[in-house]
Amino acid sequence: MQPDVKQADAASDDAGQPSTSRGPLMSMREISKSYGDRKILDHIDLDVAPGEKVALIGPSGSGKTTILRLAIGLVKPDAGTINIAGRYLWHEETPGGLKPARDRHTREVRRSVGIVFQQFNLFPHMTALENVREPLVHVMKLSRAEGEARAIDLLVKVGLADHINKRPAQLSGGQQQRVAIARSLALQPRIILFDEVTSALDPELVGEVLTVVRNLAHETDMSMLIVTHEVSFAADIADRVLMFDAGKIVEEGSPAQVLKDPVQPRTRQFLRAILER
């Protein structure tokens, strides 16, 4: 991958050290990604400011989930750069410009990002408490007692105080998704990604999960990047909405503008299809 090499941008200071006082928390520049002959993302620029909640909408296959997978480091872009909290994800800065990052560097930068998937991805043999505690012990190197205390606090926060000792099979889908949210929060990410977190749930369970995410959005200063088809939910929590189609951002703006008075015909067409379901 040959990036459009630029010397340390606004997300880094002159010495190449992370800067937390200015610039976006996450910045994607000229990101392209293809699978075979299929272009998934086509020269995307996307910023998320500290504390900003950004909703991504658009049809299936438009590139939304790929954006999240790139941001968490699960897939690598074909071209372009990703900078998170002042550090490049797939590159390292040198006096001569950017070079491909070592695996250790990429793993360190990824720790600033959390993700909650459509599927819950919980360990079936572990209780809710153990699913949240184990990353704290093994990744953050907390003692078992410290990890357990923090895990309990987080499970209480997502409304699961009475279910901490249950295994996933003993929990509803909504409860499992709330465990997954608590687990993602446990590592204290700077930005958290939500990938259609209600799409695998029965309709009657959707509300309890959206309430948890809504509370997090309103009560914390954590940045969020949220892929969702829940238009009213996006309108309630997002600072900005981006409409994706065919690998491009075709419209962006405030929720009031994009969701209620869109400029682009493609956005209007998509929203009509969603609201008529």
Side-chain angles (χ1 to χ4, degrees), residues 126-192:
M126 293 184 180
T127 65
L129 175 60
E130 291 166 339
N131 265 283
V132 180
R133 182 190 66 203
E134 292 310 293
L136 291 166
V137 173
H138 295 291
V139 177
M140 297 192 72
K141 306 302 182 184
L142 298 185
S143 70
R144 184 183 178 89
E146 290 173 319
E148 186 156 308
R150 184 178 295 181
I152 291 172
D153 285 344
L154 287 166
L155 289 167
V156 170
K157 185 178 184 68
V158 298
L160 293 174
D162 296 331
H163 303 283
I164 63 174
N165 292 316
K166 293 181 180 178
R167 290 185 169 84
Q170 298 171 296
L171 300 171
S172 71
Q175 290 166 341
Q176 290 183 60
Q177 191 62 288
R178 285 186 277 159
V179 175
I181 292 171
R183 182 180 58 185
S184 184
L185 293 172
L187 299 181
Q188 299 179 320
R190 300 284 300 278
I191 181 170
I192 188 166

Side-chain angles (χ1 to χ4, degrees), residues 76-132:
K76 191 173 184 178
D78 298 330
T81 60
I82 301 173
N83 193 298
I84 299 169
R87 302 179 72 189
Y88 288 101
L89 179 61
W90 294 107
H91 301 88
E92 295 182 60
E93 294 182 69
T94 72
L98 299 182
K99 68 175 185 179
R102 296 162 294 176
D103 289 344
R104 180 178 178 181
H105 172 91
T106 298
R107 286 196 303 271
E108 289 175 352
V109 177
R110 284 178 59 180
R111 290 184 182 178
S112 295
V113 186
I115 189 166
V116 182
F117 295 100
Q118 296 178 20
Q119 302 297 329
F120 322 124
N121 295 337
L122 302 178
F123 292 109
H125 63 288
M126 293 184 180
T127 65
L129 175 60
E130 291 166 339
N131 265 283
V132 180

Side-chain angles (χ1 to χ4, degrees), residues 209-277:
V209 173
L210 293 183
T211 295
V212 169
V213 179
R214 184 180 287 109
N215 290 342
L216 288 172
H218 292 326
E219 296 170 5
T220 74
D221 60 359
M222 185 183 305
S223 297
M224 295 182 176
L225 193 58
I226 304 161
V227 171
T228 185
H229 64 274
E230 302 282 350
V231 173
S232 61
F233 172 68
D236 183 33
I237 71 166
D239 299 305
R240 188 159 47 101
V241 177
L242 278 59
M243 168 68 188
F244 276 71
D245 188 51
K248 292 182 177 291
I249 298 171
V250 298
E251 187 162 359
E252 67 176 292
S254 69
Q257 186 263 299
V258 175
L259 300 177
K260 296 181 180 179
D261 189 25
V263 173
Q264 298 299 323
R266 183 66 184 98
T267 308
R268 293 197 295 270
Q269 179 189 38
F270 172 75
L271 290 172
R272 278 198 303 269
I274 288 291
L275 296 174
E276 290 171 0
R277 285 181 179 177

